[in-house]
Amino acid sequence: MTDNPFWDWSLDCYASPGVKDALLVLQDRHGLDVNLMLWCLWLAEKGREPGPALSPAIDIAQDWTRRVTGPVRSARREARKADDAADLYQGLLSCELAAERVLQDRLVEFWPHCPATSAPPELQAHSALQAYAEHCGYADGFDGLITAVFAPRETV
C-alpha cells in the first residue's frame, strides 16, 4: 500500500473520544458514509474544501460501499451474533478495514482538485458535511461530530 496521510489521520481521529460513536450514528441511522465524512473533516483540517471533487467522491464512495464494503460489513455484523464465529468475525473485520483503506486511497487522489479555503476548520467542516448530507437527503446534525474532531487532542 502507498503512503496515505488521510488514512493515518483517519485512524487517529476515529480513536478520539466521541468521534467513532458520532460517525457510526450518522452511518447507521442516516446512511452517510464514514469515509466521506472523515474526508470532509480531514480536508477542513488541512485548509481545503471538497469543491468540485465532492460529487465524484460521493459517486465513488457510494459505488464501492454498495458493491464491497457494505456486504462485508453486513456479513461481519451477522458473524458477531454467532457464538461460534469469532475467527470469521475477525477475518471479516480485517476485510472491511482493507476495503475502507481502498476507498480512502481513492478519495485522497482528489486532493489536487480541492481548493484552499481560509475558513476556520470547524466552519469549513460543517459546510462540507452539510453539502455531502444534502446530496444524500439528510438535513443536519454534525455539531457533536465536529466538536469531537476539533477538540484539542492530547499528544504524547
Side-chain angles (χ1 to χ4, degrees):
M1 287 189 188
T2 61
D3 184 43
N4 182 340
F6 170 42
W7 177 254
D8 297 335
W9 180 90
S10 293
L11 292 175
D12 182 51
C13 180
Y14 194 82
S16 297
V19 174
K20 174 184 175 181
D21 292 338
L23 287 168
L24 293 178
V25 163
L26 291 163
Q27 172 187 269
D28 293 342
R29 291 188 189 161
H30 306 291
L32 300 178
D33 187 284
V34 165
N35 291 295
L36 274 172
M37 289 185 284
L38 286 168
W39 182 69
C40 289
L41 293 161
W42 177 70
L43 288 173
E45 186 173 281
K46 298 299 180 190
R48 300 281 184 134
E49 60 180 275
L54 182 60
S55 185
I58 290 170
D59 291 344
I60 286 170
Q62 286 178 338
D63 182 60
W64 186 250
T65 298
R66 179 183 49 79
R67 292 185 305 111
V68 180
T69 312
V72 173
R73 180 179 300 123
S74 294
R76 176 187 55 82
R77 287 178 173 176
E78 285 302 314
R80 180 174 48 196
K81 297 174 189 176
D83 293 334
D84 59 350
D87 290 342
L88 176 60
Y89 172 81
Q90 288 302 318
L92 289 166
L93 178 60
S94 294
C95 288
E96 184 179 357
L97 288 172
E100 289 180 346
R101 172 66 194 254
V102 168
L103 176 57
Q104 286 205 3
D105 286 346
R106 292 175 180 174
L107 291 174
V108 80
E109 291 177 9
F110 285 107
W111 174 264
H113 309 288
C114 298
T117 179
S118 59
E122 294 88 346
L123 185 60
Q124 178 50 48
H126 189 274
S127 177
L129 289 166
Q130 188 63 36
Y132 166 50
E134 287 174 3
H135 184 89
C136 298
Y138 176 65
D140 189 29
F142 299 108
D143 291 342
L145 174 60
I146 291 169
T147 299
V149 169
F150 292 103
R153 290 186 213 142
E154 286 187 32
T155 55
V156 178

